[in-house]
Amino acid sequence: MTTPTSPPQSSRLKRTDSVGDDWVQFFATHDAPQNYKEKREKMHSFAEEHFKKQTKVVLITSGGTAVPMESRTVRFIDNFSSGTRGAASAEYFLSEGYAVIFLFRHKSLEPYMRHFSRHSFLDMLQIDSETDNSQIITVDQTKAPNMLELLKSYQTVKTSKRLLSVEYVFLQEYLYLLRAAAEALHFAGSKAMFYLAAAVSDFYIPGQDMPEHKIQSSDGPPQISLCKVPKMLAPLVRHWATKAFVTSFKLETDKDLLLKKARQALIKFNHQVVIANILEDRRRQVTIVTQDKHFTISLTEEELSHEADIEEHIVKKLTEQHAQFITENGNGST
Ligand code: PAZ
């Protein structure tokens, strides 16, 4: 269900120029993570292949980022994100015909597999027959009612090679891979979409301030001072993927701040959409904020009783907006 809300200001949001280049410093002082080159190459080839086929490509980021406390990391600072938003959205983008680069936190939820995260996989299986040289194991459809449909969707996506999953764990890896993905999608122009649903840490301990070895409890509680993580939306919009359709997310716990913060982000970074959500009700309500309006999507009671995904509605709205964006900006590459 969509509730249109009249904008508090009818004119397009005004842009300020208060975006710094702290991101340059970050990359200059932090090395690329292990396997970076290989992952970057994969994203480039994937983007190129789908660009040739004229397929729209979306980069979805999903899950939290771990912030290490020691360089040989034993402990890290983390957050709540499960990856549901990203994984569910990936399925809906795929069913809309998009190719998806799914940049996700290791062990957070993944498209299709997410449906089995709350049930034991072994409980869904039964042994139908067993002889000395053959065994037949089947799926108990009562315990996995959507299995056939899911399997078909998954296989279609696999055959068309439209899903590339790339894992990260730590903040630094995430930031490097985000930049690589954005550069890979640069030549897709307006046909590229960014859907930045990952819960990225706002604070970190710079490499040069981190102890190498495990912090010793015998030394007493550590006094840790954190630095602000550079907002990568700034270079993404201005330098890495200048023609793409960019959607970011804003999570708050205070309802009174939410819309204000979402609009501030649009003003600051000058991208297309912010999806605003509150921690506790993020599964059933979000507000889509654009440069000239905002509206709320809420699941109905009936949808809630069927455990419907709000992501289906979000993705439908965004794909419509993206199509319009391509028409207005030309579908060309850079
Ligand atoms: O991963 P999840 O499904 O548990 O939660 C989704 C979410 C709240 C992380 C996402 O909707 C979001 O708002 N991401 C951006 C958070 C932020 O940096 O403000």
Side-chain angles (χ1 to χ4, degrees):
M1 186 172 64
T2 303
T3 322
T5 319
S6 52
Q9 52 184 85
S10 56
S11 60
R12 198 177 145 87
L13 296 172
K14 286 203 182 62
R15 180 172 170 195
T16 59
D17 231 351
S18 60
V19 180
D21 59 1
D22 46 355
W23 59 276
V24 175
Q25 181 69 8
F26 182 91
F27 288 116
T29 52
H30 293 84
D31 290 337
Q34 265 191 345
N35 303 329
Y36 169 66
K37 276 193 177 157
E38 192 188 317
K39 289 177 179 174
R40 191 183 60 181
E41 285 314 309
K42 274 191 182 159
M43 292 194 282
H44 270 270
S45 317
F46 183 86
E48 203 173 352
E49 195 183 315
H50 288 289
F51 177 60
K52 278 189 207 141
K53 291 183 194 159
Q54 298 277 305
T55 314
K56 291 178 213 164
V57 185
V58 57
L59 171 79
I60 298 177
T61 67
S62 185
T65 56
V67 172
M69 292 173 66
E70 302 115 344
S71 47
R72 294 162 73 166
T73 310
V74 173
R75 302 188 185 89
F76 52 83
I77 304 166
D78 209 344
N79 65 49
F80 67 95
S81 171
S82 64
T84 302
R85 177 81 81 224
S89 303
E91 289 172 22
Y92 293 107
F93 276 112
L94 287 162
S95 70
E96 292 285 339
Y98 278 69
V100 173
I101 299 179
F102 186 64
L103 180 56
F104 76 108
R105 165 73 180 272
H106 176 65
K107 288 193 178 159
S108 67
L109 294 181
E110 291 181 62
Y112 308 108
M113 290 303 289
R114 74 181 172 106
H115 297 272
F116 310 109
S117 65
R118 282 182 290 151
H119 313 281
S120 160
F121 195 67
L122 294 178
D123 286 337
M124 296 173 194
L125 304 178
Q126 55 198 16
I127 301 169
D128 261 12
S129 72
E130 189 172 21
T131 63
D132 280 351
N133 43 13
S134 87
Q135 291 167 333
I136 296 177
I137 297 172
T138 56
V139 175
D140 180 347
Q141 297 286 328
T142 59
K143 298 205 172 113
N146 298 328
M147 179 67 104
L148 183 62
E149 213 177 296
L150 270 175
L151 186 61
K152 282 182 182 165
S153 306
Y154 173 72
Q155 288 182 344
T156 306
V157 164
K158 218 175 154 187
T159 311
S160 60
K161 298 190 181 142
R162 281 189 296 114
L163 175 61
L164 175 69
S165 297
V166 180
E167 283 185 6
Y168 67 86
V169 176
F170 295 109
L171 173 76
Q172 188 174 338
E173 270 183 289
Y174 169 85
L175 297 180
Y176 262 93
L177 291 169
L178 175 68
R179 183 177 67 172
E183 287 169 351
L185 290 178
H186 184 72
F187 60 87
S190 63
K191 281 199 151 187
M193 191 197 297
F194 288 80
Y195 186 85
L196 306 172
V200 182
S201 175
D202 285 325
F203 308 104
Y204 78 117
I205 306 169
Q208 70 268 19
D209 300 345
M210 227 188 298
E212 179 186 354
H213 291 286
K214 184 186 168 196
I215 297 168
Q216 293 299 309
S217 60
S218 52
D219 294 343
Q223 301 292 313
I224 296 170
S225 97
L226 299 168
C227 289
K228 267 191 89 173
V229 173
K231 295 283 184 201
M232 296 297 174
L233 250 180
L236 191 148
V237 172
R238 288 186 176 194
H239 304 292
W240 303 337
T242 49
K243 298 196 171 163
F245 183 88
V246 180
T247 299
S248 68
F249 280 74
K250 175 61 70 189
L251 175 86
E252 291 296 337
T253 51
D254 181 347
K255 281 192 167 63
D256 295 337
L257 277 182
L258 187 62
L259 216 47
K260 187 172 137 212
K261 296 294 289 284
R263 283 205 199 94
Q264 276 173 359
L266 278 181
I267 292 170
K268 187 167 182 184
F269 302 111
N270 200 32
H271 57 304
Q272 283 67 44
V273 182
V274 175
I275 301 187
N277 52 177
I278 290 287
L279 181 67
E280 291 80 9
D281 67 9
R282 68 189 190 278
R283 302 269 173 257
R284 52 194 149 87
Q285 183 163 305
V286 298
T287 299
I288 298 193
V289 188
T290 63
Q291 294 279 354
D292 52 15
K293 62 176 187 289
H294 69 272
F295 54 90
T296 296
I297 299 176
S298 312
L299 289 181
T300 61
E301 287 305 320
E302 204 205 331
E303 286 174 319
L304 284 170
S305 70
H306 293 118
E307 297 190 6
D309 293 323
I310 193 163
E311 289 78 11
E312 182 170 5
H313 298 287
I314 300 175
V315 170
K316 191 164 181 299
K317 285 284 167 211
L318 287 186
T319 52
E320 285 166 11
Q321 290 182 9
H322 188 203
Q324 194 184 336
F325 179 80
I326 294 171
T327 309
E328 286 168 5
N329 293 278
N331 74 2
S333 53
T334 52

